Amino acid sequence: MYLTSDKKKEIFKTYGTSILDTGSSKTQVALFTYRINHLSKHLEKNKKDFNTERALVKLVGKRKKFLKYIEKYDINTYKELIKLLGLRK
């Protein structure tokens, strides 16, 4: 499986305040970004997998909402997160 509990803990530790920080917006955006990248690679190989394509579109929408929230309440955190994750080139 592509997303093990160890990988999740690593993401939460890197982008959150601790390993137990699973609900903050920053960690959720980082987790969604990891999943989006994995699904994008999958769709490059399997072009007709429309269920995965739909799931990818939903994840992108969720990430966009979280990013809007972060941008609204803390612009510095938003800019830092965008730079760390390599979004908005």
Side-chain angles (χ1 to χ4, degrees), residues 11-35:
I11 290 171
F12 294 145
K13 185 178 179 184
T14 305
Y15 296 99
T17 55
S18 70
I19 294 175
L20 301 176
D21 184 17
T22 60
S24 72
S25 299
K26 283 177 62 173
T27 57
Q28 291 296 312
V29 168
L31 187 63
F32 286 154
T33 301
Y34 180 80
R35 292 174 63 193

Side-chain angles (χ1 to χ4, degrees), residues 21-72:
D21 184 17
T22 60
S24 72
S25 299
K26 283 177 62 173
T27 57
Q28 291 296 312
V29 168
L31 187 63
F32 286 154
T33 301
Y34 180 80
R35 292 174 63 193
I36 286 169
N37 291 338
H38 180 267
L39 290 178
S40 297
K41 290 176 188 173
H42 172 79
L43 283 173
E44 286 176 4
K45 297 175 190 171
N46 305 293
K47 297 183 188 304
K48 293 190 177 186
D49 189 355
F50 300 114
N51 290 325
T52 302
E53 186 177 356
R54 182 172 186 267
L56 176 65
V57 170
K58 288 179 80 172
L59 276 177
V60 169
K62 283 183 181 182
R63 182 177 70 179
K64 186 176 179 180
K65 287 179 186 178
F66 272 107
L67 285 171
K68 276 186 181 180
Y69 173 81
I70 294 170
E71 183 181 23
K72 182 178 179 181

